[in-house]
Amino acid sequence: AQRVTQPEKLLSVFKGAPVELKCNYSYSGSPELFWYVQYSRQRLQLLLRHISRESIKGFTADLNKGETSFHLKKPFAQEEDSAMYYCALSTLRTDKLIFGTGTRLQVFP
Amino acid sequence: DAGITQSPRYKITETGRQVTLMCHQTWSHSYMFWYRQDLGHGLRLIYYSAAADITDKGEVPDGYVVSRSKTENFPLTLESATRSQTSVYFCASHERAQGGTQYFGPGTRLLVL
């Protein structure tokens, strides 16, 4: 069965510190992986997807198939990065997304 | 963002009542989804639809009913609301040909007393 694990419920850092939000997945085939972000009381929006291999708002994520991970990283956190972050997985056979339980990032000034 | 809307945005109801949450999208996306968001569980898929008149169960379908008579609408009905259905409900849409990203509505906060 497919599963997404985000081990940290809360991650607190100071402004300017590096950030890494962990995501591990369980799937035997080739997954498509996403990071979605939800700012306070707003809708979820796509932050980035591994296929695009792009950097959005300074965030990057690399798919590591050997470790089955898709960690989200940013070298210097900003206060406006404070939000809920969800890692999600989709497979070629289905259009459904499987979400992790989310990590709340708090960036203190 | 205005392409997918949900109504009502907030709803308070009582146990046993029927409640319908509406979702409307203007992109003509084939796929539509309903999720519930709960602390400690993240987002869980309730139902989804691949096209008009095609629906399928997700991870937590019990107590919910959906229909998709038109491509743009995907209402979710709680037939007899229970307190455990207190949650935030998100609708989403997706078109595979456009890359697979799902686009979410603003959510409906439902409180069942």
Side-chain angles (χ1 to χ4, degrees), chain A residues 4 12-13 21 31 34 38 40 43 45 47 50 53 55 57-59 65 73-75 81-82 87-88 96 102 107:
Chain A
V4 176
S12 298
V13 301
L21 288 79
F34 305 80
Q38 185 181 27
S40 181
R43 69 183 73 196
Q45 54 187 284
L47 181 61
H50 89 272
R53 299 184 65 83
S55 174
K57 298 184 179 182
F59 285 97
K65 291 187 176 181
K73 301 177 183 179
K74 185 169 183 177
D81 295 330
S82 296
C87 183
K96 298 183 288 184
V107 182

Side-chain angles (χ1 to χ4, degrees), chain B residues 29-83:
Chain B
H29 284 170
S30 299
Y31 285 85
M32 296 187 75
F33 307 84
W34 274 107
Y35 297 90
R36 58 177 293 173
Q37 183 184 41
D38 304 287
L39 201 61
H41 292 279
L43 279 87
R44 292 179 292 176
L45 182 64
I46 304 171
Y47 269 95
Y48 68 104
S49 168
D53 298 321
I54 300 175
T55 62
D56 207 347
K57 296 179 180 179
E59 182 184 353
V60 288
D62 293 344
Y64 302 95
V65 174
V66 294
S67 62
R68 186 122 181 252
S69 57
K70 293 183 179 180
T71 300
E72 60 266 32
N73 296 323
F74 191 39
L76 176 74
T77 298
L78 287 67
E79 294 186 297
S80 178
T82 64
R83 289 180 181 167

Side-chain angles (χ1 to χ4, degrees), chain A residues 9 32 34 36 38 41-46 49 84 86 92-102, chain B residues 1 4 10 31 33 35 37 40-43 45 48 57 90 94 96 99-102 104-106 109:
Chain A
K9 290 184 178 179
E32 187 170 359
F34 305 80
Y36 280 82
Q38 185 181 27
R41 294 198 169 238
Q42 293 186 23
R43 69 183 73 196
L44 274 83
Q45 54 187 284
L46 178 70
R49 48 192 300 211
M84 193 76 174
Y86 289 98
L92 291 176
R93 294 188 299 124
T94 176
D95 291 83
K96 298 183 288 184
L97 283 176
I98 298 166
F99 284 87
T101 52
Chain B
D1 284 351
I4 183 164
Y10 303 91
Y31 285 85
F33 307 84
Y35 297 90
Q37 183 184 41
H41 292 279
L43 279 87
L45 182 64
Y48 68 104
K57 296 179 180 179
F90 285 98
H94 149 75
R96 185 187 294 191
T101 301
Q102 289 192 15
F104 285 80
R109 289 183 173 269

